[in-house]
Amino acid sequence: MDDVMLKQYEKLGPFEIKDFLAKVASKSAQEASLSYLNAGRGNPNWVATEPREAFFLLGQFAITESKRVMDLPPGVGGMPKAPGIANRLETWLKKHEDSPGARFLQAMVPWTVKKFGFDPDKFVHELVDSIIGDHYPVPDRMLVHNEAVVHEYLQWAMCGNPRPKGTFKIYAVEGGTAAMCYIFKSLKSNRLLNPGDTIALGVPIFTPYLEMAHLEDYDLHFVEVHAKQEHRFQYPDDELKKLLDPTVKAFFVVNPGNPFAVAMSDDTIKKIGAVLKERPDLILLTDDVYGTFVPGFRSLIGEFPRNTIGVYSYSKYFGCTGWRLGTIAVHENNIFDEKIAAHPEEITRLLDKRYGGLTLEPRKMAFIDRIVADSRDVALNHTAGLSLPQQVMMTIFSVAELMDEKKDYQRACIGIVKSRAEATIEGLGIQVGENQNFDYYYGLIDFEFWIRKYAGDDVAEWMKANIHPLDIVFRLAEDHGIVLLNGSGFAAPDWSVRISFANLDDHVYDDIGRAVRAIARGYGRAYEAATGKTVKIERKEELVGAR
């Protein structure tokens, strides 16, 4: 594809470009009898089976409870009742102990009751009544038992050690994407971010954060705080100094990064802490969906709970993107409530009007509850909340991980993506050093960085002057039937591509590595033909940016 055509795609986001690449790659694969390989999206190709077995078996028990209350011939049941329901479940499971999920449920209920001090009937009734889905969510923010369980899960998954004191208030939402939408909307509605304000984005970053800031709904300016490849994708001092500017109202990050797949180091977190000492009013938003792929992961919400809004999605770790399970977490002691309370009277009266239909004392309404209301345009707050069957699945996923004291499931998931990353590196024919903060979920391959290291600056400069950066992903699609995303759409280097190690079979990743290497060799041959000079490729380490 020529440069004129490629330039037309520059204004599109990488996920939109992906759709075009998929068509090209699919056609090329069919015509050339190649395997069509789409490593452009991060949807994992594994699922957590044991929690799902428990969920579906619990649903069968729930139907018996419904029929116990009412069982009319046309298939009309009643609403499950709480008294004695824990014992009835125990008895029922003994009769079905050979069914998939039975042993897990038999262990889960007493373990959870003991761990959290739940009343057995109230806990089991929440599960059974909710899996039936016969009520609106009450409380609307999150079910009582589910919130306690998820709070403990997030302490393990996100907070690391030492655990922050106090309690997080959690809103169960329809995945991480819904969390983003709700947070942006509520920050604006509560005048914490206003049109024309400046925020900082830790880049490279998941594309929607770049795109949403520019929407007329928010009209935010942003400065880029760069995680540098030469610093192993940590934020150097000169970049973090940008946060000291008092006009910067908030700092949004994805941690571990997407697309570069590296978690913040302890040193970087300490540097952000130093910034907060000078800027205690700085809002932090951290999107930590990949944190469970880094053992001992420490989120900003664990280190700086007062300043941080935490976003987490269950989708990647448990292989449940279709379930749409996510959370927004805000600590009980936070700067958001303080900022709202400090608004001028004129703004406070406007907010009184906005939320006055929900409470007699709108000024005491917590920020997290405002997010709930804003997610349903306030007027529909009475029907807010994540669907109850989804919340049951969230409970079971969380308990499954908490009960797994040896962390066998975590090791298995990390092992899957790690083996694929290693196969790709083998196919690329390079060596890469270890990085304890790498989550192995994605890889960011920077062609310019690679060419400079392997072939020298002259070849890199020629490539930049004569080849369009999008040529890489289109050539992979046209010549090899492979779909990768262009890194430029994530504010990564123009000459980079993102590969997902999550969504294809293990054996294809060395093929992808060889295909990427073939593209680089092709550029080298084009340079030789144009200049008459010979390219000598030298083998060096640290050539894949993500590591």
Side-chain angles (χ1 to χ4, degrees):
M1 188 175 292
D2 59 39
D3 285 3
V4 174
M5 286 294 295
L6 292 174
K7 284 184 178 294
Q8 296 181 20
Y9 291 96
E10 289 179 352
K11 61 184 179 182
L12 298 179
F15 295 100
E16 287 66 40
I17 294 175
K18 172 191 62 65
D19 294 336
F20 291 97
L21 294 173
K23 293 177 182 178
V24 173
S26 180
K27 181 180 178 182
S28 297
Q30 185 176 12
E31 292 175 349
S33 298
L34 300 169
S35 296
Y36 168 65
L37 302 175
N38 188 342
R41 292 202 71 175
N43 192 96
N45 66 346
W46 70 84
V47 301
T49 56
E50 194 172 39
R52 285 174 166 87
E53 291 173 343
F55 178 88
F56 292 116
L57 185 63
L58 181 65
Q60 294 179 42
F61 170 73
I63 291 296
T64 68
E65 284 294 292
S66 178
K67 289 183 175 181
R68 193 181 73 86
V69 174
M70 179 190 299
D71 189 10
L72 301 181
V76 179
M79 293 182 171
K81 304 299 181 184
I85 194 170
N87 286 333
R88 291 196 297 275
L89 174 61
E90 182 180 1
T91 300
W92 188 87
L93 287 173
K94 288 179 181 178
K95 296 178 181 178
H96 296 80
E97 59 186 6
D98 292 333
S99 299
R103 290 185 180 180
F104 179 85
L105 286 175
Q106 285 175 320
M108 183 193 84
V109 173
W111 185 91
T112 308
V113 167
K114 180 179 179 181
K115 172 72 175 179
F116 298 98
F118 293 158
D119 176 278
D121 282 349
K122 290 181 179 179
F123 173 55
V124 173
H125 182 257
E126 178 180 284
L127 294 174
V128 171
D129 189 58
S130 297
I131 206 169
I132 287 290
D134 57 350
H135 286 105
Y136 290 110
V138 178
D140 52 12
R141 179 163 57 77
M142 198 168 189
L143 294 174
V144 172
H145 299 88
N146 186 32
E147 183 170 12
V149 170
V150 171
H151 188 280
E152 181 66 16
Y153 172 78
L154 292 179
Q155 287 277 17
W156 168 78
M158 300 287 97
C159 292
N161 290 309
R163 289 188 173 191
K165 297 179 181 179
T167 302
F168 291 97
K169 295 183 177 180
I170 306 169
Y171 179 23
V173 297
E174 303 87 345
T177 51
M180 288 175 59
C181 294
Y182 298 163
I183 291 168
F184 267 85
K185 185 172 186 177
S186 211
L187 287 171
K188 177 187 177 183
S189 297
N190 286 280
R191 276 65 169 182
L192 298 177
L193 290 178
N194 299 295
D197 280 352
T198 299
I199 63 173
L201 297 177
V203 298
I205 195 169
F206 184 45
T207 305
Y209 285 101
L210 298 164
E211 297 171 342
M212 288 180 70
H214 285 310
L215 293 176
E216 63 177 344
D217 305 54
Y218 308 109
D219 190 25
L220 297 170
H221 304 296
F222 64 82
V223 297
E224 296 180 350
V225 178
H226 292 266
K228 297 293 185 69
Q229 184 164 291
E230 56 267 32
H231 291 271
R232 309 198 87 185
F233 281 108
Q234 299 299 320
Y235 300 101
D237 293 346
D238 59 336
E239 290 295 315
L240 290 176
K241 284 181 180 178
K242 297 175 182 178
L243 302 178
L244 297 176
D245 183 347
T247 65
V248 175
K249 300 292 184 64
F251 181 35
F252 290 6
V253 298
V254 175
N255 180 33
N258 178 6
F260 56 89
V262 176
M264 288 186 190
S265 66
D266 292 341
D267 185 56
T268 297
I269 292 175
K270 288 179 181 177
K271 291 178 181 178
I272 293 174
V275 169
L276 291 179
K277 288 182 179 179
E278 297 188 44
R279 290 286 318 279
D281 62 330
L282 183 66
I283 293 171
L284 302 177
L285 186 150
T286 185
D287 185 338
D288 299 332
V289 61
Y290 305 102
T292 44
F293 293 87
V294 178
F297 173 73
R298 179 74 159 169
S299 166
L300 295 182
I301 199 168
E303 188 74 20
F304 314 114
R306 263 182 52 79
N307 292 71
T308 309
I309 303 170
V311 172
Y312 176 72
S313 170
Y314 286 71
S315 61
K316 303 300 194 294
Y317 191 52
F318 294 99
C320 63
T321 54
W323 266 103
R324 314 310 296 144
L325 304 179
T327 61
I328 299 171
V330 177
H331 197 267
E332 60 184 350
N333 176 18
N334 64 79
I335 66 170
F336 313 105
D337 292 334
E338 294 173 4
K339 283 176 174 286
I340 291 170
H343 278 323
E345 183 64 21
E346 180 181 2
I347 294 177
T348 299
R349 284 198 298 269
L350 291 174
L351 296 180
D352 287 348
K353 182 178 180 181
R354 179 176 182 83
Y355 301 108
L358 307 180
T359 173
L360 296 176
E361 298 180 295
R363 299 187 183 195
K364 294 183 179 180
M365 190 174 184
F367 177 60
I368 187 68
D369 294 317
R370 294 170 187 241
I371 295 177
V372 177
D374 293 329
S375 73
R376 297 300 185 268
D377 288 330
V378 182
L380 293 167
N381 181 76
H382 64 287
T383 56
L386 183 66
S387 81
L388 299 188
Q390 287 173 281
Q391 293 201 49
V392 173
M393 190 76 261
M394 186 180 288
T395 297
I396 297 176
F397 279 140
S398 300
V399 173
E401 183 58 57
L402 292 172
M403 289 174 61
D404 182 9
E405 295 181 354
K406 295 181 179 180
K407 296 306 168 197
D408 291 332
Y409 182 81
Q410 184 185 40
R411 281 197 299 273
C413 292
I414 293 173
I416 290 171
V417 289
K418 184 177 181 180
S419 66
R420 295 170 181 178
E422 291 171 344
T424 304
I425 291 167
E426 180 67 25
L428 285 166
I430 63 175
Q431 297 176 12
V432 176
E434 288 295 322
N435 185 343
Q436 65 178 0
N437 297 308
F438 185 42
D439 68 24
Y440 296 100
Y441 204 90
Y442 298 116
L444 187 66
I445 304 172
D446 186 340
F447 265 72
E448 181 181 352
F449 186 75
W450 186 4
I451 293 295
R452 287 188 189 279
K453 288 281 187 179
Y454 268 74
D457 292 340
D458 288 346
V459 181
E461 293 302 324
W462 180 89
M463 180 185 72
K464 291 174 67 177
N466 293 277
I467 301 173
H468 193 282
L470 289 178
D471 181 76
I472 302 168
V473 290
F474 275 94
R475 192 169 295 276
L476 282 167
E478 291 173 350
D479 296 349
H480 302 276
I482 292 171
V483 178
L484 302 183
L485 296 189
N486 58 300
S488 56
F490 298 84
D494 287 345
W495 289 90
S496 62
V497 295
R498 190 196 79 167
I499 177 173
S500 167
F501 298 126
N503 64 321
L504 295 174
D505 293 336
D506 296 12
H507 66 87
V508 305
Y509 280 93
D510 56 348
D511 295 333
I512 294 175
R514 285 192 291 269
V516 173
R517 186 172 59 178
I519 300 299
R521 286 200 304 266
Y523 292 159
R525 288 194 294 268
Y527 169 82
E528 291 178 335
T531 65
K533 299 178 181 179
T534 301
V535 177
K536 182 180 180 181
I537 296 179
E538 299 180 3
R539 189 181 187 87
K540 296 185 179 181
E541 294 187 357
E542 297 294 347
L543 298 177
V544 178
R547 301 295 299 280

